[in-house]
Amino acid sequence: MLNAERWIRNALSSIADQTVRADHVFVVDDGSTDNTVREILNMTERFPSFTLLRKNVNIGKARALNELLHYVDCTWLIELDGDDWLDADAIERTKEIGQQLPERTGAFYGNLRYWKGEGMMSYKRHVKGFPVHSSDDLLGYPLPLGPRIYRTTSLLSLGGYPVIDFEQGRLYEDISLLKKFLATDSLHYVDCTFYNVRQHKQSITKKIIPNGMISKTTCNTRGSFE
């Protein structure tokens, strides 16, 4: 299980320091056992609108985020794992992209920038995404499909994050959700890069599946905006 004490401040700072402010920041602490929550609370003064959902026991990302969805009334949501971070113009660029996409677009994704290390980091590579048109394309995608940005109304219309039986709903919820967007022809690739992935020894994708399309389960942040 991943605890985000060492990285959560950097993740939240990347949201606080945006060129365009997030309308609301939702943070899910899903059963962390270190000082992650203390670090989160030390950052709350930097956000005008902030919601923390704290679970004493790890219930899995899908269940935890579904508990937050009824608070969300904005247009787009950016999903950010607790050990990753956003470029400073991520929200500004997402707003611009969202205005240009067809109204039927329920979710979109782009490219990823990879870094390695726990303290001092070294840049690894920039990985371009590509369009997926079928479930086979999705299952064969060689990297986590991201960054994942959802239209709130579309996410709610699909029933939120699916809780599947495997690992009691703690893994693969992203694939199940993206398959739903594919089925409605509302998932789009955009050639944009503003999401940074930190790779380290505790990364769940390293522990479970080298090419895993799964998300860290302990602490996830979501920035939301119109």
Side-chain angles (χ1 to χ4, degrees):
M1 180 172 66
L2 171 68
N3 288 304
E5 175 185 0
R6 282 188 272 180
W7 308 291
I8 189 62
R9 180 176 289 269
N10 185 62
L12 290 174
S13 292
S14 77
I15 299 174
D17 296 334
Q18 290 290 306
T19 56
V20 173
R21 187 182 295 274
D23 292 333
H24 205 116
V25 178
F26 301 92
V27 181
V28 180
D29 180 78
D30 191 15
S32 65
T33 58
D34 61 358
N35 292 314
T36 297
V37 171
R38 185 178 68 185
E39 291 295 322
I40 293 170
L41 294 176
N42 286 338
M43 292 287 294
T44 57
E45 73 280 358
R46 299 188 62 182
F47 302 99
S49 186
F50 180 92
T51 299
L52 170 64
L53 174 64
R54 184 181 185 185
K55 309 301 293 186
N56 293 325
V57 178
N58 181 273
I59 63 173
K61 172 184 169 182
R63 291 187 178 92
L65 290 181
N66 282 337
E67 291 189 23
L68 280 176
L69 281 181
H70 66 278
Y71 294 106
V72 181
D73 60 1
C74 56
T75 304
W76 296 100
L77 294 91
I78 298 178
E79 187 174 312
L80 176 65
D81 285 336
D83 49 357
D84 298 336
W85 71 95
L86 300 172
D87 287 355
D89 61 349
I91 292 177
E92 182 177 3
R93 294 178 66 190
T94 300
K95 282 190 172 185
E96 293 173 353
I97 292 168
Q99 292 173 352
Q100 298 170 8
L101 290 172
E103 289 189 6
R104 73 173 188 278
T105 303
F108 69 92
Y109 62 100
N111 313 318
L112 296 171
R113 195 183 295 117
Y114 280 84
W115 302 77
K116 183 178 182 180
E118 300 188 16
M120 293 293 294
M121 291 181 297
S122 59
Y123 176 70
K124 290 188 66 178
R125 65 192 186 280
H126 172 262
V127 180
K128 288 196 65 171
F130 54 85
V132 296
H133 303 292
S134 66
S135 295
D136 287 341
D137 289 345
L138 182 61
L139 293 173
Y141 205 83
L143 293 163
L145 189 150
R148 292 177 297 277
I149 301 157
Y150 301 109
R151 191 186 295 273
T152 302
T153 52
S154 298
L155 183 57
L156 290 170
S157 70
L158 293 176
Y161 288 82
V163 179
I164 61 177
D165 292 335
F166 184 78
E167 287 293 319
Q168 299 180 336
R170 289 179 172 83
L171 298 174
Y172 298 114
E173 75 291 319
D174 291 326
I175 294 178
S176 298
L177 179 58
L178 292 170
K179 286 178 68 176
K180 290 186 176 182
F181 281 107
L182 269 177
T184 58
D185 191 30
S186 61
L187 177 65
H188 291 272
Y189 165 73
V190 179
D191 187 6
C192 61
T193 308
F194 51 73
Y195 192 102
N196 298 278
V197 178
R198 182 196 303 263
Q199 293 187 319
H200 52 88
K201 293 179 181 179
Q202 289 180 284
S203 296
I204 192 168
T205 50
K206 284 182 173 291
K207 288 185 176 182
I208 298 182
I209 271 188
N211 295 327
M213 295 176 58
I214 51 184
S215 294
K216 292 85 175 172
T217 57
T218 300
C219 187
N220 292 85
T221 61
R222 296 179 68 84
S224 61
F225 51 91
E226 299 293 348

